[in-house]
Amino acid sequence: CDCDGNVDAGCGCGEAGPSGCDNACGSTAELDDCGVCDGDGSSCRIEILYDTADNIAGFQFHVTGVTVLNASGGDAEATGLLVQTGNNVVIGFSMTGASIPAGNGVLTILEIDGDADAACLSDVILSDEDASAIEYEIVDCISIVQTISGCTNETACNYNPEANQND
């Protein structure tokens, strides 16, 4: 590059050559926990969301489109539910009577292998403290929303503002 011994390694005379996992000039990019260059660690994790009017004492679901490696965190772990995985099935329960309070949030976080956008829940079972089934619907493949039947017509005399399914 010049008589002073500076060499052009592709990023300008005397500048360091390409670096980082993206092999770009001046890069400090590193692989994230999921193996994605300069990623945020979210591509191998999926937050399973819930929205219920009843407490959740137990749950079970199958995940398609990806391979489930582990499940942890979320409100299930925070309230003391045991969460286990196997054969792409996730199950959460308590040995002490703990339950997730009614409301909405992150049920659990799945560590997965595969494209997170391809993940979808099926065969969901939700139960309350009396072991009664909680009716639900799956929204956007990864959100479990309790089905509340009632009149959804705002002008009707029996309108139920909490209902999300017209009966």
Side-chain angles (χ1 to χ4, degrees):
C1 196
D2 62 28
C3 294
D4 294 329
N6 292 321
V7 177
D8 185 355
C11 295
C13 189
E15 297 295 321
S19 59
C21 60
D22 57 357
N23 207 27
C25 294
S27 174
T28 59
E30 296 179 355
L31 295 176
D32 68 6
D33 292 340
C34 302
V36 175
C37 184
D38 207 25
D40 62 4
S42 65
S43 65
C44 62
R45 290 178 187 77
I46 303 169
E47 290 185 342
I48 304 301
L49 307 175
Y50 72 94
D51 187 352
T52 62
D54 294 323
N55 295 345
I56 300 173
F59 61 88
Q60 177 178 317
F61 54 84
H62 182 255
V63 184
T64 61
V66 297
T67 300
V68 176
L69 304 174
N70 192 22
S72 62
D75 292 338
E77 186 174 291
T79 57
L81 269 64
L82 301 172
V83 180
Q84 310 243 326
T85 63
N87 296 322
N88 272 22
V89 173
V90 179
I91 184 169
F93 60 95
S94 173
M95 301 293 282
T96 63
S99 63
I100 300 169
N104 60 63
V106 176
L107 182 62
T108 191
I109 302 167
L110 305 181
E111 180 182 342
I112 56 112
D113 184 22
D115 179 5
D117 291 335
C120 204
L121 304 183
S122 65
D123 303 323
V124 175
I125 299 170
L126 292 179
S127 64
D128 63 16
E129 288 108 336
D130 297 324
S132 297
I134 298 173
E135 298 297 318
Y136 67 89
E137 65 179 336
I138 303 296
V139 178
D140 297 329
C141 272
I142 59 169
S143 295
I144 303 168
V145 177
Q146 183 172 3
T147 303
I148 301 173
S149 296
C151 179
T152 58
N153 181 346
E154 292 182 20
T155 60
C157 63
N158 62 340
Y159 170 65
N160 180 351
E162 294 182 8
N164 58 14
Q165 181 173 328
N166 200 31
D167 60 3

